[in-house]
Amino acid sequence: MTKRTPASSEPDVDYVVTKVARFTFEKFKDTPDILGPQMKAIGEVMAMGRTFKESLQKAMRSLETGRFGFGGDGKDPLLSSLSEKQIAEKLKLPNSQRLWYIRYALQKGMGIKKINEITGIDPWFIAQLDELIAQENKMSKKSIIKSAAFPDELRSAKESGFSDVQLAQMLGTTQDKVRALRKKFDIKPVYKHADTCAGEYDAKSSYLYSTYGSQNENPINTKKKKAVILGGGPNRIGQGIEFDYCCVHGVFALKEEGYEVSMVNCNPETVSTDYDTADKLYFEPLTVEDILAISEDEGKKTGFIVQFGGQTPLKLAVPLKEADVKIMGTSPESIDRAEDRKKFDAVLTELDIPRPENGTAFNLAEAKKIVREMGYPVLVRPSYVLGGRAMEIVYDEESFDKYAKEAFIVSEKYPILIDKFLEDAVEVDVDCICDGKEALIAGIMEHIEEAGIHSGDSACVLPPITIRGDMLEKIKQYTKALALKLNVKGLMNVQYAIRNDIVYILEANPRASRTVPFVSKATGVAWAKLATKIMTGKTLKQLKVKEKLDLQHVSVKESVFPFSKFIGADTVLGPEMKSTGEVMGLDKDFGHAYYKSQVAAGQKIPSKGTVFISVKNKDKRDIVFVAKKLVDLGFKIAATLGTANALEQFGIETIKVKKVHEKGGNVIDMIKAGKINLIINTPAGKGPRSDDYQIRLHAISLGVPYTTTMSGAQALVYAIESVSKKEVEVMPLQEYYKK
């Protein structure tokens, strides 16, 4: 940090750093929320402040869970709905909500000593939390705002890390009015160096955090062009390290264009938060309040980039624009036209691009009316979420009521979205780049799994291998027309579904998508870097960019799932994303590329042995061809009675296996005995009581490779056949670009 102190120097810090883990148990409802020696966190945040209270509250609002500090933000449950017994149970077992239950225990009057005895947590920490609650209670008194001591109390609250959202809730006013009060009393944050030497030496790296004090250490350069990139916050399902890839490439591009670049993020796991990646690093939460404070320090001419951090900064685009913050690249108005269902439908109608029948509902009655007119099946989802949170395909009214209610809870103030679900469609992901006048296709990816599985969970192949040329031309035409109509300046991702030779658009996101790193490595083009240069005013012609769609190699992206960590979680894929990462396989043909992707994802693909097959009725005709190919490759086939009978009608010799509930030599016994080498199971039932669930559960716990979709089974068998004919070859990535 200082470029002077030797490595042997012991750090001397005058700030407190708090790390809080990010959990996603809501994605794995069958797994109990209990923490232990096996890691369950998907990501983490880090926050810095002058005190523990301040850094903790900043960390809590960094988590992207809809909270703005340690309570007091209007999101707490009614205390009367929680008994002391319930609270004590939650305190006893370590779980992802334990910190909140310490809050509820203190509010209920449980003593610090008792909480310490139940949890084993040091009393000092519990006392700090108790002091925050006392301060919250003080600020919630109706008389406080009129008292002479209010300016001092407001400053004290900010020094303890209370956000404007919390204070607005306590004072019975709005966030904007709290902000105005702070300005009136000259209460604003300053930025301090995280220099590891308590200011003894001058810091050479601008690694900054906000606090409330007197001296601002933020070095402001008014001569150079300046840009600030907003990161993606904590890694979680739906928004992970792929967005950090885009942020870092954005930093590199801006530096090449002569900009002083600042990075804002709160995720210590990223390259963007290395102290020497950008010229300046703000280790801050990604909220309106925190970004506006940075904007005020950096000045009105500084441009902010919201395209690279996923949905987190994208949601900030409109409020930042309303506060006169300069947004680089695609305008917030264009972003809103893509995100707002009615505005987007108007754009599609004008461009004559088909989309599935859809509706928007603000309450359950409206939602039911839409579904009655539309008919089942439908796809239900909240607005403005990543990773398909609370998204579900429903086939009847009972299921609809359940999932629509959950979607409304997740959607908060926004409506829920209802789409007619296109069964048996092929889904396609497209990344494109546009300078406002010209658009180019960066990559077209065909999903291997059928429609209804989240794009982040589905394996995909680039270039597409089964889509007809006329369909691809229509996809290119629609994508370019949409990018130009939305006046995109940078990257855009569009998702399509092809059914009965009609190309339907599902959604468009005028930002970098999670597929950008994959497309960049598949094509050998740094698309995020080029998009950043477009945001600075360069054109595609000036950058001499050309489409690279005629590739001589095949790239397969496969998702990586955390099921082995979440015991009891069902492995069936659906519209809600569950993967925590991805891998990539490259080769000269699809079979070898797919094989590499499966091995990289941790699947132990067998070359011989016994394959257990259990498929739903709908798949029994298609499974015949897969089973025949497996027999030709030397595998034995085992199946339960229904599937076995279907296979034997086509002359496929099958070992009949008893169902899970039947004693003696059933399928679970065979899996445990190591007699099954591969499982193909397309689920007919869900839930812990179903046979399918038990089969998948044991496959995960015993490390038996499996697939739960017909398309996945077909691709896997093709890969096994390819490798049986020709061994896998290894070649450096750069060699593929030379061909």
Side-chain angles (χ1 to χ4, degrees):
M1 301 291 188
T2 65
K3 310 292 184 186
R4 289 181 61 189
T5 51
S8 58
S9 295
E10 185 178 341
D12 186 9
V13 297
D14 53 359
Y15 47 86
V16 177
V17 181
T18 301
K19 186 206 84 170
V20 179
R22 176 67 154 82
F23 298 96
T24 50
F25 280 100
E26 70 276 6
K27 296 271 188 179
F28 305 99
K29 295 181 177 67
D30 296 318
T31 301
D33 182 354
I34 299 172
L35 307 182
Q38 187 174 52
M39 182 174 166
K40 300 280 178 72
I42 301 297
E44 64 189 30
V45 296
M46 181 176 125
M48 307 171 81
R50 300 295 270 189
T51 64
F52 169 71
K53 293 177 196 172
E54 183 182 31
S55 66
L56 174 71
Q57 295 239 67
K58 286 174 73 177
M60 297 303 281
R61 72 173 184 262
S62 297
L63 280 170
E64 301 277 334
T65 56
R67 304 305 300 262
F68 287 88
F70 183 60
D73 53 3
K75 303 284 183 73
D76 285 322
L78 286 172
L79 277 179
S80 57
S81 68
L82 296 170
S83 68
E84 282 200 25
K85 185 180 178 182
Q86 284 176 299
I87 293 170
E89 282 299 315
K90 287 288 185 181
L91 292 178
K92 191 176 179 181
L93 280 175
N95 60 82
S96 68
Q97 301 299 306
R98 204 183 202 187
L99 196 59
W100 293 112
Y101 278 90
I102 292 174
R103 171 182 168 81
Y104 309 145
L106 290 167
Q107 287 178 310
K108 280 274 195 180
M110 192 180 288
I112 292 171
K113 186 179 179 183
K114 187 175 180 181
I115 295 172
N116 161 250
E117 287 171 354
I118 296 172
T119 63
I121 294 172
D122 192 289
W124 184 89
F125 291 108
I126 303 168
Q128 292 284 300
L129 300 178
D130 197 31
E131 287 173 20
L132 282 174
I133 293 169
Q135 198 166 7
E136 175 192 331
N137 293 337
K138 193 174 186 180
M139 292 300 291
S140 298
K141 290 179 181 176
K142 290 182 179 179
S143 58
I144 187 77
I145 201 163
K146 294 179 182 177
S147 70
F150 178 67
D152 291 335
E153 295 293 350
L154 183 59
R155 180 177 292 280
S156 176
K158 294 306 290 184
E159 287 172 352
S160 293
F162 284 98
S163 65
D164 287 353
V165 172
Q166 288 171 291
L167 291 166
Q169 179 70 22
M170 295 170 206
L171 298 170
T173 184
T174 65
Q175 185 180 354
D176 288 340
K177 286 181 180 176
V178 171
R179 184 175 163 77
L181 283 169
R182 287 200 292 106
K183 283 190 173 183
K184 178 183 175 182
F185 300 126
D186 195 29
I187 302 170
K188 60 181 183 179
V190 296
Y191 294 91
K192 299 287 186 182
H193 282 289
D195 55 15
T196 72
C197 64
E200 186 177 349
Y201 301 101
D202 289 336
K204 301 297 180 185
S205 299
S206 294
Y207 179 8
L208 304 163
Y209 67 95
S210 68
T211 188
Y212 283 80
S214 55
Q215 186 180 355
N216 192 358
E217 298 173 5
N218 192 359
I220 301 298
N221 186 336
T222 55
K223 294 177 182 178
K224 291 183 78 174
K225 295 180 291 184
K226 294 192 294 181
V228 178
I229 298 176
L230 304 186
N235 290 348
R236 65 263 198 207
I237 292 174
Q239 190 164 306
I241 208 72
E242 56 272 77
F243 292 106
D244 192 63
Y245 168 97
C246 295
C247 290
V248 173
H249 275 268
V251 171
F252 296 159
L254 288 166
K255 284 185 175 181
E256 287 176 10
E257 295 300 311
Y259 280 74
E260 178 188 277
V261 193
S262 297
M263 187 72 220
V264 186
N265 209 350
C266 53
N267 184 345
E269 300 175 304
T270 60
V271 177
S272 68
T273 50
D274 282 355
Y275 65 87
D276 55 358
T277 296
D279 297 304
K280 286 204 285 187
L281 168 64
Y282 290 94
F283 223 110
E284 292 292 292
L286 289 143
T287 70
V288 174
E289 176 187 343
D290 296 287
I291 303 306
L292 285 180
I294 292 168
S295 174
E296 284 186 4
D297 247 40
E298 290 292 342
K300 291 290 183 185
K301 291 183 180 180
T302 303
F304 282 67
I305 293 177
V306 299
Q307 279 194 38
F308 290 153
Q311 206 69 22
T312 298
L314 210 66
K315 287 194 288 187
L316 302 178
V318 172
L320 291 179
K321 178 75 182 232
E322 288 171 350
D324 294 324
V325 175
K326 180 183 173 185
I327 304 295
M328 295 176 71
T330 307
S331 70
E333 291 82 5
S334 291
I335 293 168
D336 188 54
R337 285 176 80 192
E339 294 278 355
D340 185 281
R341 179 59 67 97
K342 288 183 179 178
K343 292 176 184 176
F344 189 53
D345 276 349
V347 170
L348 296 179
T349 301
E350 188 178 338
L351 296 174
D352 196 25
I353 300 176
R355 78 167 304 167
E357 193 179 352
N358 65 84
T360 303
F362 285 87
N363 56 58
L364 194 58
E366 283 183 14
K368 285 186 174 181
K369 184 182 176 185
I370 290 166
V371 174
R372 275 197 299 270
E373 293 171 357
M374 195 181 293
Y376 292 102
V378 294
L379 184 67
V380 182
R381 56 180 168 153
S383 306
Y384 292 97
V385 295
L386 259 181
R389 174 77 180 95
M391 191 186 290
E392 192 71 39
I393 300 163
V394 293
Y395 291 84
D396 53 57
E397 191 166 343
E398 184 183 346
S399 300
F400 178 76
D401 285 355
K402 176 186 173 185
Y403 292 116
K405 286 173 184 175
E406 184 181 345
F408 275 119
I409 292 168
V410 173
S411 212
E412 296 180 341
K413 61 181 179 180
Y414 299 109
I416 68 165
L417 311 177
I418 302 166
D419 294 272
K420 181 70 177 175
F421 176 59
L422 303 175
E423 286 193 285
D424 301 319
V426 174
E427 288 198 25
V428 179
D429 250 290
V430 182
D431 281 331
C432 84
I433 189 168
C434 184
D435 60 13
K437 294 181 179 178
E438 183 185 2
L440 296 178
I441 305 298
I444 300 175
M445 294 148 278
E446 177 184 354
H447 289 205
I448 292 170
E449 275 77 26
E450 64 265 19
I453 291 174
H454 193 280
S455 61
D457 284 352
S458 179
C460 69
V461 56
L462 185 159
I465 55 171
T466 70
I467 300 172
R468 288 202 325 253
D470 59 329
M471 295 288 104
L472 290 174
E473 285 304 314
K474 194 160 278 190
I475 286 169
K476 292 177 194 176
Q477 175 195 329
Y478 287 167
T479 304
K480 290 177 181 180
L482 188 58
L484 293 170
K485 187 66 183 176
L486 291 174
N487 196 28
V488 169
K489 291 180 180 176
L491 290 164
M492 181 177 78
N493 173 264
V494 190
Q495 291 175 28
Y496 296 97
I498 304 172
R499 188 186 186 213
N500 298 332
D501 290 343
I502 299 173
V503 177
Y504 296 91
I505 190 168
L506 301 179
E507 64 179 12
N509 295 297
R511 56 164 172 80
S513 76
R514 68 175 63 83
T515 53
V516 169
F518 170 69
V519 174
S520 296
K521 290 176 173 66
T523 60
V525 179
W527 294 107
K529 206 171 181 181
L530 293 170
T532 308
K533 294 195 175 189
I534 286 171
M535 293 180 213
T536 68
K538 292 281 180 72
T539 65
L540 287 166
K541 282 184 179 176
Q542 288 173 325
L543 295 168
K544 298 178 180 178
V545 186
K546 292 182 180 179
E547 289 181 348
K548 291 190 69 174
L549 302 179
D550 188 22
L551 299 171
Q552 300 304 304
H553 59 271
V554 177
S555 302
V556 174
K557 185 212 79 169
E558 180 58 285
S559 301
V560 177
F561 299 92
F563 296 125
S564 60
K565 300 280 186 183
F566 291 87
I567 303 302
D570 200 344
T571 61
V572 174
L573 304 180
E576 183 163 4
M577 188 173 167
K578 293 180 178 179
S579 60
T580 51
E582 61 189 44
V583 294
M584 179 175 172
L586 283 93
D587 214 299
K588 295 170 188 175
D589 63 79
F590 172 73
H592 285 87
Y594 189 78
Y595 184 89
K596 286 180 179 179
S597 74
Q598 298 308 297
V599 173
Q603 291 262 48
K604 297 174 184 175
I605 310 301
S607 58
K608 59 183 179 180
T610 301
V611 180
F612 172 77
I613 298 175
S614 176
V615 296
K616 56 191 173 187
N617 289 332
K618 178 185 169 186
D619 294 329
K620 281 179 181 171
R621 179 173 292 181
D622 290 335
I623 197 63
V624 170
F625 303 100
V626 172
K628 275 188 173 181
K629 181 60 71 176
L630 285 166
V631 171
D632 290 345
L633 290 168
F635 286 88
K636 293 179 181 177
I637 305 296
T640 48
L641 189 62
T643 304
N645 288 339
L647 294 174
E648 286 180 342
Q649 285 178 10
F650 289 89
I652 300 170
E653 189 177 334
T654 308
I655 303 166
K656 291 186 177 68
V657 180
K658 291 180 180 178
K659 291 187 175 182
V660 172
H661 63 273
E662 296 173 334
K663 292 183 179 180
N666 65 30
V667 59
I668 301 298
D669 295 329
M670 288 187 72
I671 294 170
K672 286 180 178 178
K675 294 178 181 179
I676 301 295
N677 305 99
L678 174 65
I679 295 171
I680 298 172
N681 171 230
T682 63
K686 285 187 178 182
R689 286 182 171 272
S690 75
D691 280 16
D692 292 332
Y693 170 83
Q694 292 297 327
I695 291 165
R696 295 188 294 271
L697 194 67
H698 282 82
I700 284 289
S701 63
L702 297 169
V704 179
Y706 68 93
T707 182
T708 61
T709 65
M710 275 306 305
S711 48
Q714 289 160 354
L716 193 57
V717 171
Y718 186 67
I720 292 170
E721 182 184 25
S722 297
V723 174
S724 71
K725 292 177 179 178
K726 182 187 172 187
E727 288 187 6
V728 172
E729 294 178 351
V730 177
M731 192 162 72
L733 184 65
Q734 292 81 355
E735 291 296 315
Y736 286 100
Y737 306 145
K738 293 177 182 179
K739 297 188 180 293

